[in-house]
Amino acid sequence: MKMKELKILYLYPDILELYGDYGNIQVLRYRLEQRGFQAIIEPYSIGDTPPDFKSYDLIFAGGGADQEQGILAQDLIQYKDAIQEAIKNGVFFLLICGAYQLFGQYYKGVEGEKIPGLEIFDYYTEAISDRKKRCIGNIIIEVNLNGKMTKVIGFENHGGQTFNSNTPFGTVLSGNGNKFGDTQEGFFLNNVIATYLHGPLLAKNPELSDYIIQYCLNRKYQENITLAPLNDDFENKCRQQLL
């Protein structure tokens, strides 16, 4: 019997990789393999063969500084229609920080330069003029995962202020969120999680990791697969300390 698998596309690993974002890929692989599933990780960056976005189960992109975003935005825009089709088909997208911003209308930098986004979602981001003023530090948000309220922990460091996120990822319990002193953080739409939380996000939040894995497996195999529990004692002790 063939081993069940998830096919994961890792966008721009050489450009978008701040604050341990690659750790999210490592966590997904580990939690899949511990349960007897195979994780197929395929990277894509500028100059590579164009990916077939809809053929993947999960697409991940991490964070990057303004300069990196400006470079890859020109490459990413050519795939706008293919990405929209993949989202409509239910492919799961996990977007961190810079990638979160690029899927919106635009990102306006400190000097007023505007980086066009994919315009897939209605939100937009504008950086404040003072480079020293940033939303930075540990952050806790409360997220509804299939009807269960879960505390999600991460680290934020962004000067950009994101507006018009009508379906936020979670409610801020500690930290800033989409902008200074905001009560909401990120963007959440069925098969899309876009967030400022680094750290890496999934290493600190096993329940969130399994939520994504469960979604992807159920969508692919249509079997209502139940995930075998893993020993998360160490992770949960770390979470308690952070909380």
Side-chain angles (χ1 to χ4, degrees):
M1 186 175 179
K2 185 181 178 183
M3 179 185 294
K4 287 184 171 65
E5 64 185 31
L6 287 185
K7 191 177 172 186
I8 301 172
L9 177 64
Y10 186 4
L11 291 175
Y12 309 104
D14 55 336
I15 302 174
L16 297 178
E17 210 286 287
L18 285 178
Y19 311 118
D21 284 340
Y22 170 58
N24 292 307
I25 292 291
Q26 293 175 300
V27 168
L28 289 167
R29 184 197 296 275
Y30 172 80
R31 296 187 76 82
L32 282 165
E33 291 179 349
Q34 287 295 301
R35 291 168 165 127
F37 302 112
Q38 185 179 5
I40 300 172
I41 316 294
E42 297 184 357
Y44 167 79
S45 198
I46 297 172
D48 292 344
T49 302
D52 179 9
F53 289 90
K54 66 180 183 297
S55 72
Y56 291 91
D57 305 300
L58 170 62
I59 296 176
F60 171 75
D66 291 10
Q67 182 178 359
E68 285 82 3
Q69 284 182 238
I71 293 170
L72 68 87
Q74 299 171 39
D75 184 73
L76 192 61
I77 199 77
Q78 67 183 310
Y79 302 121
K80 176 179 176 178
D81 291 343
I83 289 171
Q84 281 186 314
E85 183 182 1
I87 291 172
K88 287 179 181 177
N89 285 345
V91 176
F92 200 99
F93 281 71
L94 177 60
L95 310 169
I96 309 293
C97 199
Y100 167 24
Q101 295 170 347
L102 285 172
F103 273 63
Q105 296 294 302
Y106 64 85
Y107 174 81
K108 188 176 181 181
V110 174
E111 306 296 336
E113 71 283 8
K114 186 178 282 190
I115 299 172
L118 291 176
E119 299 179 343
I120 292 174
F121 304 117
D122 291 337
Y123 60 78
Y124 59 93
T125 305
E126 297 184 353
I128 57 174
S129 57
D130 186 352
R131 292 180 182 272
K132 295 179 180 179
K133 193 174 182 183
R134 302 180 65 81
C135 298
I136 183 169
N138 294 316
I139 176 171
I140 304 169
I141 63 175
E142 191 168 49
V143 176
N144 186 335
L145 298 177
N146 284 336
K148 181 180 179 182
M149 301 309 294
T150 304
K151 288 184 174 67
V152 173
I153 306 170
F155 171 77
E156 61 177 339
N157 185 357
H158 55 101
Q161 310 289 286
T162 298
F163 300 86
N164 205 34
S165 176
N166 296 322
T167 54
F169 180 33
T171 301
V172 178
L173 302 180
S174 178
N176 286 289
N178 282 327
K179 48 190 177 292
F180 285 109
D182 204 348
T183 58
Q184 307 295 334
E185 200 286 325
F187 176 83
F188 194 6
L189 182 67
N190 298 324
N191 55 316
V192 178
I193 292 177
T195 176
Y196 278 115
L197 274 62
H198 296 278
L201 172 66
L202 297 184
K204 295 179 178 179
N205 302 284
E207 283 189 68
L208 178 60
S209 305
D210 286 351
Y211 169 84
I212 294 171
I213 290 171
Q214 183 96 59
Y215 170 92
C216 293
L217 287 170
N218 286 343
R219 172 182 174 269
K220 184 167 191 172
Y221 293 102
Q222 300 292 310
E223 293 180 14
N224 289 322
I225 295 168
T226 300
L227 295 181
L230 299 181
N231 184 348
D232 291 326
D233 287 350
F234 182 73
E235 289 88 341
N236 288 327
K237 285 178 181 177
C238 290
R239 279 175 55 82
Q240 274 308 121
Q241 184 63 35
L242 288 166
L243 288 168

